[in-house]
Amino acid sequence: MSAPLTDPATLRQPLWLRLGGQLRNLAPFVTLIALILLFSLLSPSFATLGNLSNILQQVSITAIIAVGLTYVILCAEIDLSVASVANAAGILLAFFTLQDASVNIANIPLPGPLAMLLALAGAMALGAVTAFGVTWIGIPSFIMTLAMLQIGNGIGALLVRGQIAYNVPDLIVALGSGSIGPVPWIVLVAALVLLVGHLVLTYTRFGRYVYMVGGNREAAEHSGVAVKAVVAAVMMISALCSGIAGMLGVAYFGSAQQNQFDNYLLDAISAVVVGGTSLFGGQGGIGNTIVGVLVLGVLNNGLDHIRMDSFLKILIRGLVLLMALVINVYAQRLRSQRRGVG
């Protein structure tokens, strides 16, 4: 993580380097505040408690997937299979749940808890294959997870064969589409996943190892860190988060079908990068991801409130992501210069 502005070594550096070192953290937060103010002025219906609940509900699935992706990117790796793993987990859950006779799928109905365990186990199995390919065979994570993206989509297509399944276990229905009072359960689950992800990264030895591996892999190895084990673990964590998101997602959408989560790959990566976690590893965290998720959620929701042209909306999202990438790279350069000055 970036050194605090009050750190003695930091205070000896030029002011522009000190402020630049915090650019990755400050820019997303300033962007979030600016978007909230802008849309509040442009649309009276934006700044309401009801709409806040809508935004949080809309970003919950992205947030859960982004937690696992944050761990991966902190290790200077990438996981392009998160959306297909989520889709496979959701379809597996429906495949092991009794469907109506109108649904033409030759599935295997099982008790709800067992169906949930098997769906999660399927996601973890995909993560294990990814981890093995990246750490033991040595396939770059970009290529390995690109292959797993196809495999995950293939599993989903094979199970539903173009059909749409609607039934999932009652617990998943409650968590994915129910609420406790005015608060949707899916928001609470996302908050819990974010909290656990933050606590593990911040207060455990494993969390320190994640930052060490992403910051300097050779130094981590010389310090006795089992780098391959850490990378394998973050790939498994990413698959676990995708599996949870996939199961909740089918209840949130009301159905399980092919390619249902395709948009979540870009959304999750955007949330992590826009929030300020470094693509080069070792910098950032769950706090950054929370801000990134909220920036995207407020942007999408706000553009809908001001009735922005849907095609222009896609362009604006792309420009926001491009700006985040520029800041990410620029912040990395400033970090290198700070090391040289320090």
Side-chain angles (χ1 to χ4, degrees), residues 202-328:
T202 307
Y203 298 107
T204 68
R205 181 178 298 179
F206 172 73
R208 292 193 294 273
Y209 287 169
V210 169
Y211 283 104
M212 290 173 66
V213 170
N216 191 321
R217 193 161 293 195
E218 278 190 25
E221 286 180 344
H222 291 150
S223 299
V225 176
V227 171
K228 286 186 177 181
V230 172
V231 173
V234 299
M235 291 297 179
M236 295 291 289
I237 290 170
S238 181
L240 174 63
C241 291
S242 295
I244 294 171
M247 291 195 300
L248 294 177
V250 293
Y252 178 72
F253 296 131
S255 65
Q257 54 187 303
Q258 293 173 231
N259 306 320
Q260 189 166 233
F261 289 81
D262 284 0
N263 291 337
Y264 283 96
L265 171 59
L266 182 58
D267 286 350
I269 293 176
S270 298
V272 177
V273 175
V274 168
T277 293
S278 174
L279 289 167
F280 303 95
Q283 296 282 313
I286 300 299
N288 297 80
T289 297
I290 292 172
V291 175
V293 166
L294 291 176
V295 166
L296 293 180
V298 167
L299 179 63
N300 289 331
N301 183 274
L303 291 175
D304 287 338
H305 271 261
I306 63 174
R307 301 178 185 274
M308 179 64 67
D309 182 277
S310 59
F311 297 103
L312 184 57
K313 179 179 175 181
I314 296 172
L315 175 60
I316 292 173
R317 282 170 51 108
L319 291 173
V320 170
L321 178 57
L322 176 60
M323 183 172 61
L325 291 171
V326 171
I327 293 173
N328 210 297

Side-chain angles (χ1 to χ4, degrees), residues 133-212:
V134 171
T135 59
W136 297 105
I137 300 178
I139 303 173
S141 58
F142 179 89
I143 301 300
M144 184 65 200
T145 58
L146 187 61
M148 295 307 296
L149 181 155
Q150 295 292 327
I151 291 172
N153 285 338
I155 290 172
L158 186 65
L159 293 178
V160 295
R161 296 181 178 275
Q163 300 295 311
I164 301 176
Y166 298 97
N167 291 342
V168 293
D170 292 339
L171 177 59
I172 297 298
V173 172
L175 294 178
S177 59
S179 61
I180 175 171
V183 183
W185 272 110
I186 194 170
V187 174
L188 296 178
V189 174
L192 178 61
V193 174
L194 287 163
L195 176 61
V196 171
H198 172 71
L199 293 176
V200 170
L201 270 181
T202 307
Y203 298 107
T204 68
R205 181 178 298 179
F206 172 73
R208 292 193 294 273
Y209 287 169
V210 169
Y211 283 104
M212 290 173 66

